[in-house]
Amino acid sequence: MPWYKDPLFGVVLLFVIIAIIGAIDFVRNRLRERRRIHSLENLKKSYEFLGIKDGVEEFLKLNQNATPTLEFIAQAYIQSGNIQEAIKIYTSMLNAHSATPSQDKVRILYALGVAHFQAGFLQRAKNTFLEIIKNSPRDLGSLIYLLRTYEKLNEYQNAIDVVDCLQEIYEQSGNIDDTKYLESLAYNRAYLQTMCLFADERSVFEDKVAKLESLRAQFPRLEKIILVYYKQYNLALFWQKAQESRNIENLLDVFWQTPDTEVPTEILTNQKIIEVYRARGLIESKQSLDSINKNVVCAKFELEAVRLLRTHTHFNADLHFEYRCSECKGIFPLESHRCPTCNALLSFEILCSVRENKDENRYSLL
Ligand SMILES: [Zn+2]
């Protein structure tokens, strides 16, 4: 029998073919992996080429007076919302120019702190402003940003210390006729004390209420946040204090959004609050109108409109709320303690309008 007809030769040949295919596949995979790594390296190099950090350092080496140009570019990045790039520029400027005049350094540090604050890097913003204040303790801009940073970090006691510093600087300036500024500082301190009380987990609720009531009496604009706090922890106290309020209009959204089960219609005596629930149909459904008030008309236009639409038409009317800052007149969809535009404290007024409630929960997402 010839050797090529031997069955053992066929088996050996099969194994040889499998081994050759395996080797080719292995080599091909290695080549593919090498190409992939090479391509990643090229991509990385292309980013390095475009890297702003190197560009800034190169520019600073070439140009002795590069600071104004770089500050302008960083500002342009901030205006376009690309705060990360602005932070890279400011950081490179601080790293590259150890011999920068101290005034320039403070200005760049301040801009870096603001950029960190805007980007939400609050801890970095805090460290940057503290660094400035270490060298220039009377820098008002940095102190104001430090106050806002402490407030956002819930470090209220530190924020109160900053308000004290601002007041001291103001009193030492000799020009103490600006009552609006002093009032603003007093409100800031009272607001921060209120937030301290809210966050205090060691005090009992009754002790907090005594202090909060004292603050509410002195600073009426704190009323809403204090009443909302009561509503969370003691509903009966909320209704008791809400009925004594002189500014029911400012609480309209809170009343309107309170679920039916949390409204004690039988104890309500304040006509303005009764109107709210009459417009919503809650009082009519639970009690006879005559027992509350013979005059069933709501004095506020929007409430009366909702009541009439609900009573006499098939429309499901609802109130829609927006908030206007009394300082800058900006209008916002959500309420916040500080105006996002002008930073005014507790300056929001309620704007309400009548809208048709179209029950959006039933809309298909497709
Ligand atoms: Zn504002």
Side-chain angles (χ1 to χ4, degrees):
M1 189 172 67
W3 60 272
Y4 53 84
K5 287 191 178 172
D6 188 345
L8 197 61
F9 172 74
V11 172
V12 170
L13 189 66
L14 181 70
F15 275 105
V16 168
I17 290 167
I18 290 169
I20 289 169
I21 290 170
I24 290 169
D25 193 50
F26 174 75
V27 171
R28 201 183 61 173
N29 281 341
R30 285 296 300 269
L31 284 172
R32 195 181 289 166
E33 181 67 16
R34 196 173 289 176
R35 267 205 303 273
R36 197 175 63 80
I37 291 169
H38 190 64
S39 148
L40 277 174
E41 285 294 319
N42 282 344
L43 185 70
K44 210 170 89 181
K45 274 182 194 164
S46 75
Y47 278 124
E48 279 171 5
F49 177 68
L50 294 171
I52 202 150
K53 187 170 171 283
D54 295 344
V56 170
E57 283 168 6
E58 193 64 33
F59 188 53
L60 282 165
K61 272 183 210 159
L62 292 171
N63 193 335
Q64 290 299 309
N65 194 21
T67 308
T69 313
L70 288 172
E71 282 179 313
F72 179 76
I73 295 169
Q75 276 303 316
Y77 271 124
I78 288 173
Q79 293 290 327
S80 63
N82 200 344
I83 300 173
Q84 284 280 16
E85 295 303 317
I87 289 173
K88 282 183 200 167
I89 293 178
Y90 290 135
T91 313
S92 306
M93 285 164 81
L94 287 169
N95 290 341
H97 255 234
S98 54
T100 310
S102 62
Q103 270 197 339
D104 282 3
K105 213 170 219 171
V106 167
R107 200 177 61 246
I108 297 166
L109 267 174
Y110 176 76
L112 178 65
V114 174
H116 276 144
F117 181 84
Q118 288 174 335
F121 302 134
L122 297 176
Q123 202 60 44
R124 290 184 197 175
K126 179 177 118 179
N127 293 339
T128 311
F129 292 123
L130 284 173
E131 183 66 31
I132 298 172
I133 287 158
K134 218 187 283 174
N135 298 303
S136 324
R138 302 173 80 87
D139 189 300
L140 284 180
S142 299
L143 280 169
I144 289 168
Y145 262 106
L146 186 62
L147 164 64
R148 291 175 66 187
T149 311
Y150 275 139
E151 191 186 313
K152 278 184 180 270
L153 286 167
N154 297 346
E155 296 181 22
Y156 300 118
Q157 193 52 53
N158 286 336
I160 292 173
D161 292 344
V162 177
V163 174
D164 290 343
C165 287
L166 284 167
Q167 177 136 6
E168 209 176 312
I169 292 170
Y170 181 70
E171 283 168 357
Q172 284 173 3
S173 71
N175 175 22
I176 50 169
D177 299 331
D178 191 347
T179 49
K180 199 174 175 193
Y181 183 71
L182 280 174
E183 192 195 350
S184 153
L185 287 180
Y187 251 103
N188 271 282
R189 189 180 290 105
Y191 166 72
L192 292 164
Q193 284 167 346
T194 306
M195 298 309 284
C196 262
L197 286 167
F198 289 170
D200 183 4
E201 290 175 353
R202 285 174 294 180
S203 300
V204 290
F205 185 73
E206 287 70 24
D207 291 347
K208 287 188 193 181
V209 170
K211 290 175 186 166
L212 289 170
E213 283 303 299
S214 161
L215 285 165
R216 185 164 80 103
Q218 285 181 68
F219 301 95
R221 285 192 344 241
L222 291 171
E223 183 178 60
K224 189 170 184 179
I225 58 169
I226 292 175
L227 288 181
V228 169
Y229 174 75
Y230 291 165
K231 189 166 176 276
Q232 274 182 302
Y233 294 99
N234 188 329
L235 204 55
L237 182 68
F238 163 73
W239 284 109
Q240 183 202 330
K241 299 293 178 190
Q243 294 211 83
E244 295 166 7
S245 170
R246 291 183 185 171
N247 195 1
I248 296 292
E249 287 79 9
N250 199 38
L251 292 161
L252 186 57
D253 55 343
V254 178
F255 293 133
W256 192 257
Q257 286 152 5
T258 302
D260 291 358
T261 50
E262 292 181 8
V263 183
T265 46
E266 61 286 348
I267 64 152
L268 291 181
T269 50
N270 187 311
Q271 285 306 314
K272 287 186 174 175
I273 301 178
I274 290 171
E275 270 191 11
V276 175
Y277 295 111
R278 188 183 297 141
R280 218 169 77 179
L282 190 64
I283 284 185
E284 264 181 342
S285 63
K286 286 196 173 176
Q287 298 177 18
S288 157
L289 286 173
D290 292 340
S291 68
I292 307 280
N293 190 352
K294 287 193 186 302
N295 180 15
V296 294
V297 175
C298 296
K300 189 170 173 62
F301 167 78
E302 289 83 1
L303 291 175
E304 180 64 1
V306 171
R307 191 185 71 81
L308 288 173
L309 285 165
R310 186 182 50 75
T311 317
H312 300 290
T313 71
H314 65 280
F315 289 111
N316 183 10
D318 197 0
L319 286 184
H320 173 77
F321 297 100
E322 286 181 311
Y323 303 89
R324 181 174 59 202
C325 171
S326 58
E327 296 292 322
C328 69
K329 307 297 175 197
I331 295 176
F332 305 90
L334 296 172
E335 189 172 28
S336 52
H337 297 171
R338 277 191 193 277
C339 171
T341 306
C342 71
N343 195 34
L345 181 66
L346 302 170
S347 61
F348 279 5
E349 304 161 332
I350 287 186
L351 298 176
C352 81
S353 55
V354 181
R355 297 260 174 103
E356 187 186 355
N357 193 352
K358 293 188 174 171
D359 195 4
E360 291 174 2
N361 288 338
R362 289 190 189 172
Y363 286 172
S364 167
L365 292 173
L366 297 174

